[in-house]
Amino acid sequence: MDAETFHRIALPVSAVAFLLFAMVLPTVRLRRRTGREAFVFHRRANAFQRVMGVCMGVFILGVTAWSALYAALGAAALGVWPVPETVRWLGWGAVAAGLVVVRVAQVQMGASWRIGIDREHTALVTDGLFSVVRNPIFAGMLWVMTGITVVTPSAWTWMAWADYVLLVSLQVRLEEEHLLGLHGEVYRDYAARVGRFIPGVGRLGAREVVAS
């Protein structure tokens, strides 16, 4: 199997694996263990949640479609830019690392894990990966998206990457506002100590937390 064939097979396999292990199976597991629903974008905990849910859903469909088209048509037909194979393998390393971070962070969240903002009370998790960054799941997902973009660089994937960074940034700020209202000083102190996506970067000072 040559490198291009591997990339064409591995991309849709990675997309399916992400959907299965990062979304479907954790959702089923949470339901069985707690009786609670993981997908809560549709609940009106925040006025913008349904809009964000639709945008995230469209984005996931787009990534899945891109993976399928890449497998069926190949790089040239989709306008994928040529890059050294070393760079593409670094992209796969980012995808693998991101998937591991997402899965570990989901396990560490336990019953607090949700897709969206829940109206119900959830415990604030601050240990494990959450002691390094406040949003390790989103950080891992950004690594996955960055890896996919590096493996199949094109105008389409770089635009999608920029859109996803924007979506994640907006969603995280909505969640920060929600968590501040839910946990008050505990979250304020936590956010002042721990970075948003990168250790030490994006820590919120007292004024910024209040303003959010």
Side-chain angles (χ1 to χ4, degrees):
M1 180 186 297
D2 60 25
E4 182 59 28
T5 301
F6 171 83
H7 297 317
R8 290 176 68 170
I9 294 173
L11 190 62
V13 170
S14 298
V16 171
F18 176 78
L19 292 174
L20 182 64
F21 292 103
M23 300 185 72
V24 176
L25 292 180
T27 297
V28 173
R29 189 176 298 112
L30 182 70
R31 174 71 175 180
R32 288 181 176 177
R33 291 181 177 179
T34 68
R36 296 177 177 175
E37 298 292 339
F39 188 88
V40 294
F41 266 117
H42 61 290
R43 297 179 181 175
R44 292 191 177 277
N46 184 285
F48 297 101
Q49 271 300 277
R50 291 190 179 184
V51 175
M52 294 300 299
V54 170
C55 291
M56 289 288 188
V58 169
F59 182 86
I60 291 172
L61 288 175
V63 172
T64 304
W66 174 263
S67 302
L69 288 171
Y70 181 75
L73 303 177
L78 297 179
V80 174
W81 303 332
V83 292
E85 278 301 307
T86 301
V87 174
R88 300 183 85 180
W89 288 115
L90 288 174
W92 282 120
V95 171
L99 289 172
V100 170
V101 168
V102 169
R103 188 70 194 101
V104 171
Q106 286 175 332
V107 171
Q108 291 176 345
M109 281 198 78
S112 294
W113 178 70
R114 297 289 189 278
I115 302 175
I117 299 175
D118 201 345
R119 290 178 301 186
E120 298 179 3
H121 185 279
T122 53
L124 180 64
V125 180
T126 60
D127 54 1
L129 292 178
F130 292 85
S131 67
V132 181
V133 293
R134 300 199 303 277
N135 304 282
I137 293 178
F138 280 128
M141 292 170 71
L142 288 169
W143 274 101
V144 171
M145 187 60 205
T146 299
I148 291 174
T149 303
V150 170
V151 171
T152 60
S154 69
W156 296 108
T157 49
W158 279 110
M159 285 191 295
W161 180 87
D163 288 341
Y164 191 64
V165 170
L166 176 61
L167 283 175
V168 168
S169 298
L170 292 173
Q171 177 63 24
V172 162
R173 282 160 176 77
L174 293 177
E175 293 185 4
E176 288 174 351
E177 181 181 0
H178 170 75
L179 290 171
L180 178 62
L182 193 64
H183 298 286
E185 291 296 330
V186 175
Y187 182 76
R188 180 178 282 109
D189 292 342
Y190 170 62
R193 295 193 316 270
V194 181
R196 185 176 280 128
F197 301 114
I198 301 172
V201 178
R203 291 180 295 180
L204 302 184
R207 291 184 179 179
E208 188 175 355
V209 174
V210 171
S212 67

